[in-house]
Structures are given as C-alpha cells and as structure tokens.
Amino acid sequence: MMGYIKSFCGMDFVDSKRKNNFSVRIFLAAFLVSLSIFWFKSPTYSSPNLFSRPEGGVTHVLVTGGAGYIGSHASLRLLKDSYRVTIVDNLSRGNLGAVKVLKELFPEPGRLQFIYADLGDKQAVNKIFSENAFDAVMHFAAVAYVGESTLQPLRYYHNITSNTLLVLEAMAAHKVKTLIYSSTCATYGEPEKMPITEETEQVPINPYGKAKKMAEDIILDFSKNSDMAIMILRYFNVIGSDPEGRLGEAPRPELREQGRISGACFDAARGIIPGLKVKGTDYKTTDGTCVRDYIDVTDLVDAHVKALTNAKPGKVGIYNVGTGKGRSVREFVEACKKATGVDIKVEYLDRRPGDYAEVYSDPSKIAQELNWTAKYTNLQESLGIAWKWQSSHLNGYGPQTL
C-alpha cells in the first residue's frame, strides 16, 4: 500500500503504517467517553464544594484543553504555583493519562478537578461556569493542525471560533474577569518582512489561522465595552516537554500524520516511519533550508503565567511568544539526530511550492512589558528532554483507562 506523505514547514515524512479502521475508532471513542464521564462523577477526582466557592488568596483557573500537550504543561505549572485548577476537555485530542499524572502529583482536595465536556455544548459550558467560582480562564482547547484545517474547514471554525464565542459569553454572564487566550503565529500568514512583530499585518492563509484570527477579533470587539483583563499570546513552533519527565507529547496514533516536526523526527528515530523528506535546499538562508522559530513548551507556559499575573482590568495585551531566533530545518534534523542518538535517514528534495524561507518572531514587546524571555533555547537539549520522555513512554500515556 502506498505510504502517506505529510508535508509541513518544508519537511515531509512518510507514514508506511497508516491504517484506517473506522469502526475500531468509534468503539474506542465511545468507551473513552463512558470512562471519562464516570471519572468526572467520581468523588475521588472532584470536590465540587471546594471549587464552587471563592477562597481568599487562591486563584481558581479554568484551563480549557488541559488534557492536551500544552494545556497539561500549563496546568502542571499552575498547580506548582499553588493555583486551583479545573481542566475541561472533551479528550478528542487530549490524554486522560496526563490528567491522572497531575492528580497523582497534586491529590489534595480543592487543587485539581477534571470535567469531561465539549465547549461546543452551550448548556454544558454554562453549567460548568454556574457550578464553579472561576477567577480566570486559560483557553487552550482547539484543534490545531494546519493541513487538517484545509480538509475540514468547518470543523475548525466551529471548534475554534464558535467555541471561543461560547466561552466568552459564559465568562461575561458569570463575571469571570480574566482571559488568557492561546493564539498562533498562523494568524500572520506569510509576512514579507522578518522578524514578525505584534504590528505585522495578519493575513492568515489557512482555515486554522483564519479561525484563530476570527476568535481574536471577537475577543477584541468584546473588550471595547468590557472591563475584562485580556491577554492574547501568539506563539510559534512548540517543542520539548517537562524537564522533570512527568509529562510529554503523546498525539493519538491516527493523528500522527498531522503532527509536529519533532514528532516526525522521533517517529523516524523509533522506526515507526522509514525516514524524513526535507523539501527545499535552495532558499536564501544560511544552509538553504527554510527557517522557523522553535519555542520550548516550558518557556511557553511561563509566558502564560506571566500574562496571567500581569493582566489588568479593561486592558488588552497582545504578545508574540518565541525565541526571536530562527533555526533551519536542516539544523533541526541534525539536532534531533544528536538528541536521539539515531542516524535518521533524511532525503533532501526540491522545494515545495508555497513554502516561505523564514518565519521567526520579535519577542521584544513581551520582554519589555512582562519581563519574559525564552530560557530553553538550546535546540538539542529541548529535543533531548522530549526524547527521554518519548523513549520511556513508547505507548504515550498508555491505555485510556482509570
């Protein structure tokens, strides 16, 4: 059977093991939902009375998409910093295992609760807000694959734009005054000038970027007649994992073809795919391959926490979150080889139409206003930390069971 070729940022990989078993997926999804609902109702994992009333000196943060890659890392940091955390996730992309890890680390009553819910369900969203005393929302929940967005645009507009509207309406109705919104550099499209600043014109070129920009526009329009404290973070290519090895990135097997460049490298190192294909060696860059800005997830989470602590009523802050330094695809692949210790097979091909040579951020605004700068900027070290988790969790977080 012909392998599936996945293209991203000047790089392809071939998935020779792609399978399409729809009935199995439906069964697993139904089974997972039933387990999740049971877990939500279990008193072991939630203490409604503690979460439904404000407590002096304790900030209660709703983390949407908190079972996902970035959301789970953000939840870990918030819990370490003594925030009260409620995770809401429909587990379509998240991992129940990540939430279980967090619960084991912070088992005390009133620290963490998980709610299985879909943010597209208005009644469920309103029920969640009515039964919990939230002080702030970190809104991560979103489908987030550029290629998939071009194939399923309506899904992306529903999941990102419509769901953000429902969250914002619930926040307004229940007087939750702080929103930290997870956005993306994809809202900029293909800028002609580098580096990208917050003033760079937003002209997204795919449904993912367009849906995120629409959500931003809704938030900004709402803010004009609101005293809500709002922070919008536009971040670049996320890599890495928790330095202490507690959490990592574990995309569903059926989504592997849509994954990040680091995931493709790790899959090649593990032999899941036969190798990598890099398209384009004649760009006007130092080594001819295209250049991107890679931000470690630990730094990204730190930016979110700084945004939360600096959010001011009636004010909107918009920030790029990146290192300010572009790294070439060739450089990334070589760093991944060193991090994994595997001589990954790489084939360099002609460039792909539509790819642009360089995309990297200017993070000076967030440095000046929030005192944030990226610390985990060694590409090989970030990939090494992620690889350590990957190689010790060959099946991700394991079966989605309690």
Side-chain angles (χ1 to χ4, degrees):
M1 184 175 67
M2 183 178 295
Y4 179 86
I5 300 178
K6 163 66 187 151
S7 303
F8 53 94
C9 285
M11 184 169 180
D12 295 343
F13 70 93
V14 181
D15 186 352
S16 61
K17 299 183 180 180
R18 186 181 185 226
K19 296 180 180 180
N20 185 17
N21 191 331
F22 184 74
S23 61
V24 172
R25 292 180 187 176
I26 292 296
F27 172 77
L28 289 176
F31 181 63
L32 178 59
V33 168
S34 65
L35 285 175
S36 303
I37 293 173
F38 168 79
W39 194 30
F40 168 48
K41 291 181 177 180
S42 170
T44 303
Y45 289 93
S46 65
S47 302
N49 290 335
L50 292 174
F51 292 91
S52 64
R53 61 176 185 264
E55 183 176 336
V58 176
T59 302
H60 185 182
V61 183
L62 166 61
V63 181
T64 71
Y69 169 44
I70 300 171
S72 61
H73 282 77
S75 297
L76 173 60
R77 170 63 186 275
L78 290 169
L79 289 162
K80 284 176 63 179
D81 288 357
S82 298
Y83 288 87
R84 175 172 290 166
V85 174
T86 291
I87 291 174
V88 172
D89 202 302
N90 68 0
L91 299 175
S92 63
R93 299 290 162 94
N95 289 278
L96 200 61
V99 184
K100 291 178 69 176
V101 168
L102 295 173
K103 188 62 185 178
E104 289 167 2
L105 290 170
F106 302 94
E108 305 84 4
R111 296 303 313 282
L112 170 67
Q113 70 168 339
F114 171 79
I115 300 175
Y116 173 85
D118 192 314
L119 295 179
D121 184 337
K122 185 174 183 178
Q123 184 177 357
V125 171
N126 281 319
K127 179 178 174 62
I128 290 167
F129 275 84
S130 66
E131 294 181 353
N132 292 276
F134 299 127
D135 298 297
V137 175
M138 279 192 183
H139 185 27
F140 292 100
V143 284
Y145 294 123
V146 169
E148 183 185 55
S149 78
T150 64
L151 299 174
Q152 303 179 43
L154 297 183
R155 179 183 185 184
Y156 272 66
Y157 292 122
H158 272 292
N159 180 271
I160 295 173
T161 311
S162 298
N163 289 6
T164 298
L165 176 59
L166 290 180
V167 170
L168 198 60
E169 287 177 335
M171 290 180 68
H174 297 278
K175 297 180 173 56
V176 181
K177 297 295 187 180
T178 302
L179 171 64
I180 313 300
Y181 183 64
S182 169
S183 193
T184 171
C185 66
T187 64
Y188 293 114
E190 300 179 349
E192 295 180 0
K193 183 180 178 181
M194 289 293 140
I196 295 173
T197 74
E198 289 79 2
E199 302 304 317
T200 297
E201 185 179 8
Q202 291 176 286
V203 188
I205 61 172
N206 51 65
Y208 171 60
K210 291 175 182 178
K212 282 287 189 177
K213 184 181 183 300
M214 287 180 187
E216 283 192 19
D217 290 340
I218 291 169
I219 293 168
L220 294 174
D221 284 343
F222 172 75
S223 72
K224 294 173 183 177
N225 297 296
S226 167
D227 63 349
M228 188 178 291
I230 295 171
M231 293 290 206
I232 296 173
L233 303 185
R234 298 171 183 156
Y235 43 90
F236 289 67
N237 302 67
V238 187
I239 62 171
S241 62
D242 171 43
E244 295 184 38
R246 295 163 293 190
L247 298 171
E249 183 177 14
R252 301 291 178 82
E254 65 269 22
L255 297 171
R256 181 169 270 124
E257 66 200 35
Q258 302 286 352
R260 307 175 196 274
I261 180 174
S262 55
C265 284
F266 295 150
D267 283 350
R270 290 174 56 187
I272 295 174
I273 57 175
L276 302 170
K277 290 188 177 183
V278 175
K279 290 194 172 184
T281 59
D282 60 347
Y283 292 100
K284 292 182 180 180
T285 58
T286 54
D287 62 21
T289 62
C290 61
V291 169
R292 299 294 181 262
D293 191 342
Y294 299 99
I295 178 73
D296 191 286
V297 68
T298 301
D299 284 327
L300 178 59
V301 165
D302 185 53
H304 280 78
V305 174
K306 279 199 165 64
L308 178 59
T309 58
N310 285 277
K312 295 179 175 58
K315 301 292 184 182
V316 178
I318 300 176
Y319 301 98
N320 287 335
V321 187
T323 65
K325 180 179 180 181
R327 305 293 183 89
S328 74
V329 170
R330 191 190 299 270
E331 184 180 0
F332 190 99
V333 172
E334 292 305 313
C336 194
K337 287 182 179 181
K338 292 177 181 178
T340 61
V342 178
D343 187 17
I344 299 168
K345 181 181 178 181
V346 184
E347 185 178 3
Y348 291 94
L349 305 172
D350 292 337
R351 70 164 67 182
R352 180 178 54 204
D355 270 338
Y356 33 105
E358 294 183 291
V359 177
Y360 60 94
S361 69
D362 176 356
S364 57
K365 181 182 178 184
I366 193 171
Q368 293 167 4
E369 297 185 7
L370 302 187
N371 192 32
W372 178 91
T373 55
K375 298 176 181 177
Y376 293 83
T377 57
N378 185 303
L379 199 55
Q380 184 179 331
E381 288 182 5
S382 289
L383 291 172
I385 290 170
W387 172 247
K388 186 176 180 180
W389 190 90
Q390 291 281 331
S391 57
S392 62
H393 296 77
L394 298 179
N395 296 312
Y397 287 101
Q400 296 272 15
T401 57
L402 298 178

